[in-house]
Amino acid sequence: MRDLSGRIGMVDVALALALVAVGMVVSRVRRLDLEKDVAVATVRSFVQLLAVGYALDFVFGGHDSLTWVGLAVMVGVASWTAGRRARAVPGAVWVALASISVAAVGTLGVLLALGVIPAGPRAVLPLGSMVISNAMVTTGLVTTRLRDDLAAQRREVEARLSLGQTAAEAGGPWLRQALRTGMLPIIDNTKVVGLVALPGAMTGMILAGASPVAAIRLQLIVMYMLLGGNAFAALAAGELAMRRLFTPAHQLARTVRR
Amino acid sequence: MGDRFELIDVRVDGDDGPILSVPRARIAADGLTVVVGPSGAGKSTLLRLLNRLDDPDGGSVLFEGRDVRDYDVLDLRRRVQLVGQVPVTFPGTVADNLGVADPVPLLARVGLPGAIAGREADRLSVGEAQRMALARSLALSPEVLALDEPTSALDPGARAGIEQLVRSLADDGLTVVMVTHDERHAVELADHVLEVTPCAT
């Protein structure tokens, strides 16, 4: 087999560092002032991935129960990140936590229940990380877009409320827009998959020596999982953000008005 | 006739201290009440309390003798119609905006020709749009019409027309509350004047 799994050593990694040196040289010669960022990125990626590699090795080595701890940590970090990005929305971290959890539980739950993937960490952790990181981006997009649009269009929103519309009716057009914004990138990605870029899961399996046809079967499952997870995350984030951006008395929240 | 609204020790807080403070005020059920005061005194904020687009941080607002918070808010908003400074048009025709089976009598009431019903709402002049916004509110048969500087975005000709219209709506028995920065309105148009003073900072 001329695949790569099992024959990459630390020496190979060190050799690949030569490519980072190219980035350093370009930055220096063109005075981009990015040398420090390149160095930090290189060191961070090394340390983070090394740690994750050993952690996964440990979990795969008979500590299956840690799978769920791993997922919880991912959901926590993703929620914090998405919540920080959307901090103009009151309680954004909680909105993100709920939305990302819904996406993770919804998709992994369905795949596990249908027996599409086995319950072990080798399937659940990598797939979970993909759902969670996608849901993180979606949640941030939907909540910030909704908040920004309501703030920009507050005159029209409040005119609708003044005519006796509910918060759901008055904010509806902008909620729809925010959901579209959150869901379109993944839909577009799914449309051109394989034509524009060979996606990560498939690339990884091919590099590891699997047959391309087996690789695409996994990739299809991944894409459909991401579409579903994205829909879960967008819907939850939109609905929950609406509750934070309007009061129970169908008023635009003060944070949106000032 | 009695009071439509009563404000008791009302205070609304902004980011840096109070933006509206009214120890006591009444809005009569009859005629046109004009709300005057220097800019920044919280006149627009006061109107927003009447239909609960905002709630006071202290004190209470009574509508027909009951706290506004005791009413169903959607019902309250239909009964107390607030029309903003800059007219808002929704997508579609004038008829779509009004949302009634026969828009012609409604348009006539605000001085617009019936033929305008089929026109795209975003093609109206500001003056026409302001009249349409009034018609849209009147379609809900409100008891109170609260107007936030309804003439400030208009040229002098359109302004006089709207002032006349507001006056005639008050004469027809509607409670009209109008915020203005135009001292003339208080003298020439008003049946009652409510003065709002800026909060001490």
Side-chain angles (χ1 to χ4, degrees):
Chain A
M1 286 286 276
R2 293 171 53 194
D3 64 72
L4 294 174
S5 67
R7 50 152 289 197
I8 298 178
M10 274 302 163
V11 176
D12 302 303
V13 174
L15 289 176
L17 265 178
L19 297 172
V20 173
V22 174
M24 289 284 217
V25 170
V26 169
S27 173
R28 172 61 60 86
V29 171
R30 304 301 300 265
R31 297 190 190 155
L32 302 180
D33 200 23
L34 290 174
E35 296 95 309
K36 204 177 140 209
D37 289 297
V38 174
V40 169
T42 308
V43 172
R44 271 192 64 164
S45 59
F46 187 84
V47 173
Q48 285 169 205
L49 286 181
L50 202 64
V52 168
Y54 281 113
L56 288 178
D57 244 0
F58 182 72
V59 177
F60 291 174
H63 299 85
D64 284 15
S65 55
L66 287 177
T67 307
W68 312 110
V69 177
L71 281 182
V73 170
M74 289 179 200
V75 168
V77 173
S79 304
W80 179 255
T81 309
R84 292 290 298 165
R85 162 116 19 245
R87 60 181 167 277
V89 179
V93 172
W94 299 109
V95 171
L97 180 64
S99 310
I100 295 170
S101 302
V102 164
V105 172
T107 51
L108 293 176
V110 168
L111 292 178
L112 287 169
L114 294 178
V116 175
I117 58 171
R122 192 174 283 277
V124 171
L125 278 177
L127 292 177
S129 82
M130 284 190 250
V131 173
I132 290 164
S133 65
N134 265 275
M136 173 183 80
V137 174
T138 305
T139 301
L141 272 178
V142 169
T143 49
T144 47
R145 176 72 194 258
L146 181 60
R147 192 261 166 207
D148 291 350
D149 277 0
L150 290 177
Q153 305 296 327
R154 60 165 278 205
R155 218 189 280 282
E156 182 172 342
V157 176
E158 291 200 322
R160 289 173 182 273
L161 291 174
S162 294
L163 290 166
Q165 291 189 2
T166 63
E169 290 166 338
W174 294 281
L175 175 60
R176 268 194 298 284
Q177 198 53 54
L179 293 183
R180 288 178 60 83
T181 304
M183 293 184 62
L184 275 177
I186 189 83
I187 294 174
D188 283 345
N189 266 339
T190 307
K191 278 186 195 157
V192 300
V193 67
L195 300 178
V196 176
L198 294 181
M202 180 175 161
T203 316
M205 272 187 79
I206 291 174
L207 284 173
S211 87
V213 178
I216 57 160
R217 280 200 295 267
L218 172 70
Q219 188 59 47
L220 286 173
I221 291 172
V222 167
M223 295 302 303
Y224 300 155
M225 173 188 75
L226 293 182
L227 268 180
N230 213 48
F232 277 127
L235 282 176
E239 285 302 325
L240 293 172
M242 284 286 280
R243 280 158 214 263
R244 301 281 181 159
L245 297 168
F246 287 92
T247 70
H250 305 279
Q251 298 159 327
L252 209 46
R254 281 189 180 174
T255 43
V256 185
R257 294 191 263 119
R258 288 174 188 156
Chain B
M1 277 215 264
D3 298 323
R4 191 70 86 181
F5 286 100
E6 202 178 342
L7 282 71
I8 303 161
D9 292 326
V10 163
R11 191 191 81 246
V12 177
D13 294 332
D15 290 335
D16 332 291
I19 52 174
L20 173 72
S21 156
V22 183
R24 205 155 188 98
R26 296 161 185 285
I27 292 168
D30 66 304
L32 169 60
T33 299
V34 166
V35 182
V36 294
S39 70
K43 301 189 292 293
S44 303
T45 305
L46 186 150
L47 278 198
R48 299 166 56 84
L49 299 179
L50 303 184
N51 80 337
R52 286 198 72 201
L53 276 183
D54 212 340
D55 283 326
D57 295 289
S60 44
V61 178
L62 307 184
F63 174 55
E64 310 279 2
R66 276 170 66 202
D67 195 296
V68 286
R69 281 169 285 206
D70 294 340
Y71 291 85
D72 173 72
V73 65
L74 302 178
D75 187 48
L76 176 79
R77 291 207 183 124
R78 289 188 200 104
R79 294 170 68 183
V80 181
Q81 274 298 303
L82 176 73
V83 177
Q85 196 170 351
V86 180
V88 172
T89 57
F90 302 138
T93 63
V94 170
D96 294 336
N97 268 263
L98 298 180
V100 291
D102 180 13
V104 176
L106 209 50
L107 289 169
R109 193 162 171 207
V110 296
L112 287 174
I116 216 169
R119 188 120 55 100
E120 287 299 314
D122 58 8
R123 308 288 282 276
L124 299 177
S125 73
V126 185
E128 289 167 336
Q130 190 62 280
R131 284 174 190 268
M132 184 201 74
L134 281 169
R136 195 171 53 199
S137 286
L138 293 173
L140 300 173
S141 315
E143 291 147 55
V144 180
L145 197 56
L147 309 170
D148 189 3
E149 305 207 19
T151 60
S152 65
L154 307 180
D155 62 64
R159 191 173 298 177
I162 293 280
E163 284 166 2
Q164 252 176 17
L165 172 60
V166 168
R167 185 60 254 175
S168 75
L169 290 171
D171 291 338
D172 288 348
L174 205 59
T175 301
V176 184
V177 193
M178 181 169 80
V179 161
T180 182
H181 60 272
D182 190 342
E183 292 290 328
R184 218 168 33 84
H185 286 157
V187 183
E188 291 172 13
L189 284 177
D191 299 311
H192 316 279
V193 177
L194 173 58
E195 195 169 345
V196 180
T197 51
C199 304
T201 45

